[in-house]
Amino acid sequence: MIRNKKSFDSKVTFKTNNVASRIFERQIRTPAPGTSVHCARRFYENLVPRFTIYDVECPDHSFFKFTDDGQYFVSFSKNRQDLIVYRPKWLSYSCNVEDCDDTHELPPQAKRFESFFTQLYVQSLASCNELICKDFFLYMESNQFGIFATSTAQIQDARAADGAILGVPSFEKITIHLLRLEDGVKLDEKVFHNDCVNFTHNMGAFLYDDLLAVVSLRYQTIHILQIRDSGNLVDVRAIGAYCREDDELFINSSSQLSGNRGDLVDNGINHDQPNSNNSFLSGIKQRLLSFLFREIWSEETDQTQRIQCLKKKFYFHFQDYVDLVILKVQFLDRHHLLIKFGSVDIGGSRNTDQLPAFFAVYNMETTEIVAFYLNAAEKLYLLFERFCDHFHATSISSMYMNFISSHSNNIHALEQLKCMKNKATSASQFVKKMLSSLPLNCQSMSPSPYFDQSLFRFDEKLISATDRPRQSTDHPIRPRIRQRRWSEQKVFTFPVPSFFSIGSLLHPAVFVPASVVDEYSLPEIIFCKYLL
């Protein structure tokens, strides 16, 4: 009976590309549990760009991205002083011609930016001596809060300060702003003085639900902030010199009892920053060294072998471990952080594949290091390959971000990854290259259905879901519908010279993609893809 049932299902179950048939099938068939969103996204195969509007008259702004829910379109003024927020108007014009192509005439209003977006407000963020960090923006979807950053000019030859590490530039003032995107009201801000936070592509901060982690490179501190529903930024803990909330109090009280307070903590020093004259290592560094010692100690049972193993693996590399600095961090869940350790040179280098780096999993509640990996560890790579979605650490309540294609949830992405692995000349170098992206940048992936690899196939060297500008090519980029192997529907077309920089701004839900083409000496132009 079961065999016959399967045979019957295989005959009546078919996929059609006709939109009317798909709508009818949706009415008579119930999708399997947990697949309703995936079934609905198949309709995007019938909604592909067929018409392009060039040279749209648009404001002279730096257009950044859509929010993850598609409600807002964020941009900055050219002088990087003001925030300009728009709301998409969705589809404004239609074409009822059977073959609608580039020769079809649209009204003159179709070439105006205001026909597709409505300006909500202009909010001044930066002061006279500050600039907006144009590559940084985090969105809290549950409350529709936006997180922005401003900073003063970079000081390359910053003077040595207590607790600051050498080789890291300084900014006189860095401000993190919390705004309500609905009306642009400033809710709260967090200021860092004489510090350094790398906000390029959201590298220096990570948002998970209502928790925000900010990495201070200069003072080697991970600041954990909580965003309240009232719109307040509350300091939860600072991980670096101290790991527990009462560590500083305990050290100060102990030094008073011993009469050596001056040797441990100098009077007048800001205790949020570690003292470079302190002979003690930082709290996070002590946790790391103790974890390594216990791991190496447990490898051998014989006492003589233990001593030899400790000499070879721990004491010989002791100074190398001490010199490690925190470069990047991300949440794995509300209690665990993935921390990347390396040298100061890695922080300013673009190609970090060949440089040694380490990854540590830190439990904020117990203040313990629970795992430690080299950047060529096969074990960590296998975890990343099988559980890539867990590294993205998106909120469960997010409507669109949980449907991003990855090699742990999409068979086509996994096949592409295996193909890259087979072509690699060195397995260890491939592992280093893949793990160099860890910790992942927060909200760096576009949830657009046109990047769903179960629906479309495309060359990720030319365009991908990663929100970064890419060099255009002289030939158009043509992703194909995966279920229609004979079809070559042009979903994205960038027929511009290669000296332009292209950033794809795709809406996460509706079929209104836009493209920003930016040449350094020319104003920006938006290409709006008109869909049928």
Side-chain angles (χ1 to χ4, degrees), residues 461-491:
K461 295 180 180 179
L462 302 178
I463 189 170
S464 70
T466 305
D467 291 333
R468 289 193 184 184
R470 294 171 181 264
Q471 286 295 110
S472 75
T473 58
D474 295 331
H475 55 82
I477 303 171
R478 299 179 178 180
R480 297 181 176 91
I481 299 175
R482 194 172 292 278
Q483 297 299 329
R484 305 183 196 176
R485 299 188 180 278
W486 51 268
S487 176
E488 291 188 3
Q489 299 287 356
K490 291 187 288 185
V491 180

Side-chain angles (χ1 to χ4, degrees), residues 67-355:
T67 55
D68 294 340
D69 57 2
Q71 296 296 319
Y72 306 98
F73 186 36
V74 177
S75 64
F76 306 113
S77 61
K78 280 293 186 179
N79 60 3
R80 296 170 60 184
Q81 297 287 317
D82 302 323
L83 164 71
I84 305 100
V85 177
Y86 297 90
R87 188 183 294 277
K89 286 185 177 180
W90 317 134
L91 295 181
S92 304
Y93 305 98
S94 62
C95 174
N96 56 5
V97 182
E98 182 176 354
D99 294 326
C100 183
D101 52 18
D102 291 348
T103 61
H104 182 74
E105 293 294 332
L106 289 177
Q109 294 83 358
K111 286 197 172 185
R112 296 179 180 176
F113 182 83
E114 294 76 12
S115 299
F116 300 93
F117 299 95
T118 301
Q119 180 175 309
L120 297 182
Y121 53 83
V122 178
Q123 177 63 265
S124 178
L125 283 184
S127 60
C128 58
N129 62 338
E130 287 183 303
L131 295 175
I132 296 176
C133 302
K134 63 178 183 178
D135 292 331
F136 175 78
F137 166 64
L138 296 176
Y139 181 61
M140 188 176 179
E141 185 175 344
S142 58
N143 294 326
Q144 293 189 347
F145 291 162
I147 304 174
F148 303 88
T150 59
S151 67
T152 56
Q154 177 177 320
I155 304 174
Q156 287 289 353
D157 299 328
R159 64 179 181 86
D162 292 328
I165 62 174
L166 299 177
V168 177
S170 176
F171 297 83
E172 182 181 353
K173 182 182 179 182
I174 298 175
T175 307
I176 295 179
H177 305 266
L178 181 65
L179 273 72
R180 186 169 57 220
L181 289 187
E182 182 180 4
D183 50 15
V185 174
K186 288 185 180 181
L187 301 176
D188 203 353
E189 65 180 28
K190 173 72 174 179
V191 180
F192 300 92
H193 294 285
N194 300 318
D195 209 334
C196 178
V197 180
N198 186 7
F199 287 113
T200 305
H201 303 301
N202 300 345
M203 290 181 62
F206 199 95
L207 179 66
Y208 181 78
D209 288 339
D210 60 341
L211 296 178
L212 177 66
V214 181
V215 180
S216 166
L217 295 177
R218 185 169 168 79
Y219 294 102
Q220 288 297 284
T221 303
I222 304 172
H223 300 274
I224 306 297
L225 310 175
Q226 185 179 27
I227 305 174
R228 299 288 177 84
D229 293 337
S230 58
N232 299 110
L233 290 171
V234 180
D235 292 309
V236 177
R237 57 170 54 90
I239 305 169
Y242 311 105
C243 293
R244 296 186 183 274
E245 291 80 356
D246 59 346
D247 280 353
E248 183 181 9
L249 178 62
F250 176 79
I251 293 177
N252 290 342
S253 61
S254 300
S255 62
Q256 287 178 348
L257 293 175
S258 62
N260 296 325
R261 177 180 173 82
D263 296 333
L264 297 176
V265 181
D266 292 341
N267 292 324
I269 296 298
N270 184 356
H271 297 301
D272 291 335
Q273 302 167 356
N275 184 2
S276 61
N277 297 326
N278 196 337
S279 59
F280 288 104
L281 295 174
S282 63
I284 186 68
K285 197 65 66 65
Q286 292 188 34
R287 298 294 195 278
L288 176 60
L289 293 173
S290 62
F291 173 82
L292 292 173
F293 184 90
R294 292 194 302 268
E295 286 291 304
I296 298 174
W297 178 271
S298 60
E299 290 180 2
E300 301 289 344
T301 56
D302 182 71
Q303 188 69 13
T304 304
Q305 293 296 328
R306 277 179 175 175
I307 299 300
Q308 294 298 326
C309 192
L310 285 172
K311 289 180 179 181
K312 181 179 179 181
K313 296 183 178 181
F314 184 76
Y315 293 112
F316 183 78
H317 298 284
F318 182 82
Q319 191 59 43
D320 296 330
Y321 293 135
V322 171
D323 293 338
L324 291 177
V325 297
I326 300 174
L327 298 176
K328 200 175 175 184
V329 69
Q330 75 162 93
F331 283 102
L332 295 177
D333 53 39
R334 295 188 65 89
H335 305 293
H336 294 87
L337 296 174
L338 178 63
I339 305 175
K340 183 176 183 178
F341 290 92
S343 63
V344 179
D345 297 334
I346 296 182
S349 177
R350 292 187 177 183
N351 186 13
T352 61
D353 299 347
Q354 307 298 329
L355 299 177

Side-chain angles (χ1 to χ4, degrees), residues 201-203 206 328-330 338-340 346 350-353 357 359 375 380-381 384-385 388 391-392 407 417 420 429-442 444-445 466 468:
H201 303 301
N202 300 345
M203 290 181 62
F206 199 95
K328 200 175 175 184
V329 69
Q330 75 162 93
L338 178 63
I339 305 175
K340 183 176 183 178
I346 296 182
R350 292 187 177 183
N351 186 13
T352 61
D353 299 347
F359 301 96
N375 62 340
L380 179 60
Y381 168 74
F384 180 63
E385 179 182 306
C388 179
F391 286 87
H392 285 288
H407 41 77
L417 178 66
M420 294 171 53
Q429 292 300 323
F430 175 79
V431 171
K432 285 185 179 182
K433 182 178 180 180
M434 294 301 300
L435 296 183
S436 64
S437 61
L438 295 179
L440 299 178
N441 295 349
C442 185
S444 62
M445 305 290 288
T466 305
R468 289 193 184 184

